[in-house]
Amino acid sequence: MASTFLDLLKTEFSPHFFTTEANDLQVYGKDWTKVYEPKPLAIVFPQSTAEVSAFLKLCSAHSISVVPSGGRTGLSGGAVAAQGEVVLSLEKMRKIGEVDTLSQTLWCEAGAITESIHEHCEPHGLTWPVDFASKGSSQVGGNIATNAGGVKVIRYGLTRNWVLGLTVVLMSGEVLCLNGSLEKNNTGIDLRQLFIGTEGILGVITEATLKLSPVQKESDVFFFALENLTAVFDLFEATRKSGFLVNAYECLSSDCLSVVLQNRNLSSPFAGEHAQYVLLEVERPETDSAKAKLESWLETLFERGLVQDAVLAQSPKEAQNLWAMREGISESLANKGLLHKHDIALPINRLHDFIQNWTRDLDQNYPGLKPYIFGHIGDGNLHVNLMKPERMPVLEFRTLCSKADENLFAWIQKYEGSVSAEHGIGLLKKHLLRYSRTEKEIALMKSMKQLFDPKGLLNPGKIL
Ligand SMILES: Cc1cc2nc3c(=O)[nH]c(=O)nc-3n(C[C@H](O)[C@H](O)[C@H](O)COP(=O)(O)OP(=O)(O)OC[C@H]3O[C@@H](n4cnc5c(N)ncnc54)[C@H](O)[C@@H]3O)c2cc1C
């Protein structure tokens, strides 16, 4: 059956349309999670929406499963092909149109690399404000399919906000052109939104019209040392009330900072050690005395006892050094030991109680599991990491983490949070969906999947 289908591909498409080379199967069959054994049947490289359509139609007729694949930087196994599926790579669909400076929009194909979009728009003073560490490899289609976030969500919101139109191909081969480049279009159900953040289970995104934003103006970066967790939230409220335009409000515990300093051989900007740290980036106020304004705000924070110590970067280089302490956490933790990671979200006004109660519970009931917590406090997103104690065998650590997870998810559910803030569900978090979605919601999602892909051939087994 499989070889007949590959023969068919040879007759229907150009010679370089697909590959079954062992190395290609390994590379294209997985994403960044690297925990699943890739086993795709083949990798196809369509060059146009029409070709995607013809290919999916053929797959549908022959009941062949397909996994849409972008830059494969996903962190939940969404682009993994481990069951003999055909991987549909968008990497030969990278066309980027002219920047429309009147409407501040840009058309592109889904395989365009996120960073190329930024470079393409920059000469016009514009950008697509979807920005994170994997931008050099991730694709626009992947960003949209995962509704990606990043450190600047507090300022710009998620990817969803920056997508005007989509061209999507359904598993049947049918092509939908959704919303064109309209900013306003109140004509019933906005079908475009169904394909944003649904990890390629409903259709393959082949083209998009992106909404652009003016390039961010100059910014200023503060790094604060705080007495405790309560101060993190008091300072956040003070920041919200300051009138400054906030680009990022990131928090890291003292344990996280120690690991980064050690791993990157950096020195702390402060003389002593403090319980919590916050990195705040604000857009520089448009006034001749911008620095004086920022410094006088800083003084009020000390006067009110909100912060124990603080630095305000005096140059772009200093700002970069402060960001390095936040951006280096993931890598530094990974270099230190074996991690058990979660990317969770809570309502901002319940984050404080959640962190306090869950960490107390962890400490009492799972001694030895030390939490390393950091994240985008400004949008309620925490990265929670448990590190394997040096002497604990891996199996024991895994078993303990599984037990501790049940407890973590129960707390998340209690505080009406989400088990996946920005990394999606894919394969990795499928078993956790029930903690964040009701049975009714999951049943409705299944009905939608059935409607768009009755044979269940597109990205099978993901999310649901
Ligand atoms: C170092 C690093 C840092 C990261 N930082 C962040 C961060 O700050 N915030 C964040 O949100 N994520 C982050 N990520 C995760 C990841 O980069 C994003 O989820 C990104 O949007 C995935 O894009 P991709 O092109 O690599 O998609 P892939 O990994 O290839 O695919 C992701 C999902 O989308 C589907 N898909 C891909 N292309 C299409 C398409 N054209 N049509 C339909 N479905 C498609 C796939 O089937 C899969 O389910 C990070 C990852 C790494 C490795």
Side-chain angles (χ1 to χ4, degrees), residues 91-370:
E91 75 176 35
K92 295 229 168 110
M93 293 183 61
R94 297 206 153 145
K95 288 192 201 94
I96 305 179
E98 293 285 311
V99 174
D100 184 329
T101 51
L102 173 66
S103 56
Q104 299 197 331
T105 56
L106 178 74
W107 169 90
C108 68
E109 287 183 327
I113 298 288
T114 316
E115 197 169 39
S116 319
I117 297 288
H118 298 164
E119 288 164 1
H120 190 77
C121 298
E122 219 211 311
H124 303 274
L126 293 168
T127 192
W128 191 47
V130 171
D131 194 358
F132 34 75
S134 55
K135 65 185 171 197
S137 307
S138 75
Q139 299 180 1
V140 167
N143 299 154
I144 296 173
T146 55
N147 188 25
V151 288
K152 304 239 164 113
V153 170
I154 187 171
R155 168 85 191 267
Y156 296 103
L158 293 160
T159 299
R160 187 183 297 286
N161 296 350
W162 301 95
V163 179
L164 289 181
L166 285 183
T167 301
V168 177
V169 186
L170 303 185
M171 194 61 215
S172 60
E174 218 166 330
V175 179
L176 300 178
C177 295
L178 305 169
N179 202 56
S181 56
L182 292 175
E183 179 76 45
K184 289 189 171 183
N185 181 9
N186 275 351
T187 51
I189 297 174
D190 186 349
L191 294 173
R192 159 191 57 156
Q193 297 295 345
L194 299 181
F195 299 92
I196 304 178
T198 42
E199 301 179 57
I201 66 166
L202 301 180
V204 178
I205 299 160
T206 55
E207 299 168 41
T209 301
L210 310 177
K211 178 172 160 168
L212 306 177
S213 158
V215 166
Q216 205 178 291
K217 299 205 186 97
E218 276 190 287
S219 55
D220 284 288
V221 176
F222 294 90
F223 205 73
F224 295 107
L226 306 174
E227 190 182 5
N228 51 32
L229 192 63
T230 308
V232 172
F233 292 91
D234 290 344
L235 177 61
F236 185 46
E237 196 166 5
T239 303
R240 289 266 216 214
K241 288 179 178 166
S242 68
F244 296 126
L245 200 49
V246 180
N247 291 336
Y249 188 92
E250 300 285 305
C251 120
L252 49 150
S253 67
S254 148
D255 290 325
C256 289
L257 184 66
S258 306
V259 174
V260 183
L261 296 180
Q262 208 179 23
N263 187 258
R264 295 208 162 177
N265 211 8
L266 300 171
S267 36
S268 168
F270 308 116
E273 213 182 294
H274 303 262
Q276 298 286 339
Y277 299 91
V278 161
L279 181 144
L280 166 67
E281 185 183 294
V282 296
E283 189 165 293
R284 182 165 299 164
E286 278 190 19
T287 144
D288 292 343
S289 55
K291 275 274 178 225
K293 203 172 166 196
L294 291 164
E295 276 161 7
S296 95
W297 180 66
L298 191 54
E299 261 174 48
T300 65
L301 298 179
F302 278 107
E303 279 161 19
R304 292 171 59 194
L306 282 179
V307 301
Q308 290 187 313
D309 210 342
V311 288
L312 171 57
Q314 299 299 320
S315 65
K317 179 80 189 124
E318 271 184 44
Q320 211 180 340
N321 290 344
L322 295 177
W323 263 113
M325 285 186 246
R326 163 61 187 87
E327 287 181 329
I329 301 175
S330 282
E331 183 196 304
S332 303
L333 285 174
N335 287 344
K336 186 174 160 66
L338 181 64
L339 289 175
H340 183 71
K341 294 153 78 93
H342 290 293
D343 163 53
I344 61 173
L346 278 305
I348 295 172
N349 59 6
R350 307 188 82 179
L351 264 178
H352 175 271
D353 288 359
F354 165 82
I355 298 173
Q356 249 186 359
N357 287 324
W358 172 65
T359 49
R360 192 184 304 125
D361 198 345
L362 186 77
D363 191 40
Q364 282 168 3
N365 296 307
Y366 305 93
L369 288 185
K370 185 170 167 175

Side-chain angles (χ1 to χ4, degrees), residues 44-65:
V44 302
F45 300 98
Q47 299 195 32
S48 65
T49 297
E51 223 168 31
V52 172
S53 166
F55 170 70
L56 290 183
K57 202 169 171 183
L58 198 67
C59 290
S60 232
H62 293 267
S63 294
I64 297 288
S65 299

